[in-house]
Amino acid sequence: MICNLCPRQCGALRDETHGEGFCGMPSVPVLARAALHRWEEPPVSGKNGSGAVFFSGCPLGCVFCQNDQISRQGFGQPVTEARLGEIFRELVAQGAHNINLVSPTHCAHVLRRVLASEKPPVPVVWNTGGYERVETLRGLEGLVDVYLPDLKYLDSRVAARYSSASDYPEVAKAAILEMYRQTGPVVLEDGLIKRGVIIRHLVLPGQLAGARAVMDWVAETFPPGGVLFSLMSQYVPCGRAADYPEIDRPLRRAEARKAREYMADLGLEGFTQEDSAASAGYIPSFDLSGVGDGVVSS
C-alpha cells in the first residue's frame, strides 16, 4: 500500500514485511500487548478493565514517550486480520468493558475492515495521540464509539521540538472536533462510557502555560458535559528526554497542583491524577501478552 493515513501523508510504501514511512510499520498490524488494563480513566477501566490492544509504531515522534519501546523501537509481533478479530473476542470473553485501540492510527485501513466485519458487543475506543487526519477519521464513523485523544500542545514550536510535528496544534484541534461531531456528548451508563470524547493532556515540566492554554480551548469549544477532560500528572522522563534538559526531570508537585486548580476554576468535568501516578510502574509490560497465534510469517 501507499500510505497517507496520518497527517504526515508520507506516501510511503508499506507491505506485509516492512514500511518506509515515518511510523516504520508494515501494512499489517504489529501488536505488543493485548490484555485487560486497569490504569485508564475510571469510565474506561471500570471494575474489570479495558481491553487494551497496543499497536507498535506511531505517527508522532514524542521524545518523552513512555511507550518508546513500541512507538519508536518497533517491538511487537505482526498479526493477521483474522487473529486481530479473535483478540477482540478473547478480551470481551475476559470481561473487558471495551476494546481499547492504543495508537491505532497507522492501522486504520485494517481496523475499518475488521470492525466492519464484526463489531464487538462492547464500545470501541480509539486511543490516540491526537495527530489524526480528519479524512481518516471519517472512514471510522459508526465503527468507533469513544475517542480518547491527547491534546498535547497548542504551541507549534513546542510541538515541533518534542513531537517533530509543528502542525500538531491545528491538526489535533480539527481531529477532536471531528471526533465530537461523530459521537456527540458523552454518554455514561452505570459509570462506564458508552459514547463520546475524553480529551487527555499530559502536563510537561515547565509547560504550565501550555496546559492552561489547552484547558482554555476545551472550555471555550465544548458545552458543559459535552466532553470529559483528563488532566494527567504522570510524567516521568522516558524515551529520549535526557537529550532535552528542560524536561529531563519529574513534574514538580506545585506544577501539578496549579494545573489541577486551573482545571477546577474553569469547571471542566473530568479527571485528575494524584502525584503518585508519576511512576514508571504504571507503564505496561510489553511482552506480547495476549497476542498469541495467527502471526504473519516474515
Side-chain angles (χ1 to χ4, degrees), residues 114-260:
V114 173
L115 294 172
S117 174
E118 182 183 355
K119 193 169 185 299
V122 295
V124 173
V125 179
W126 194 263
N127 186 338
T128 167
Y131 197 57
E132 303 275 357
R133 283 190 73 196
V134 168
E135 293 81 359
T136 299
L137 292 173
R138 286 176 181 157
L140 300 167
E141 188 164 6
L143 302 175
V144 172
D145 305 288
V146 177
Y147 284 101
L148 188 57
D150 291 336
L151 184 52
K152 297 177 183 292
Y153 331 95
L154 290 182
D155 185 320
S156 61
R157 293 168 299 178
V158 178
R161 178 164 175 79
Y162 297 141
S163 292
S164 300
S166 61
D167 61 345
Y168 180 92
E170 296 309 314
V171 165
K173 287 192 292 184
I176 290 170
L177 289 172
E178 170 62 18
M179 295 171 184
Y180 184 73
R181 183 196 69 78
Q182 290 185 22
T183 69
V186 168
V187 175
L188 299 173
E189 293 180 10
D190 298 323
L192 296 173
I193 188 164
K194 300 298 182 180
R195 191 168 182 84
V197 179
I198 301 176
I199 301 171
R200 287 173 163 172
H201 178 73
L202 174 67
V203 184
L204 298 178
Q207 291 294 320
L208 184 58
R212 288 170 173 158
V214 165
M215 288 187 272
D216 284 341
W217 183 81
V218 174
E220 294 164 1
T221 303
F222 299 100
V227 301
L228 295 175
F229 187 77
S230 179
L231 183 69
M232 301 185 296
S233 54
Q234 67 187 46
Y235 180 86
V236 291
C238 292
R240 293 176 287 127
D243 297 332
Y244 298 80
E246 71 275 17
I247 60 170
D248 189 28
R249 64 169 175 84
L251 195 67
R252 296 190 179 108
R253 291 193 174 189
E255 291 172 313
R257 174 177 51 78
K258 289 178 180 178
R260 289 193 291 264

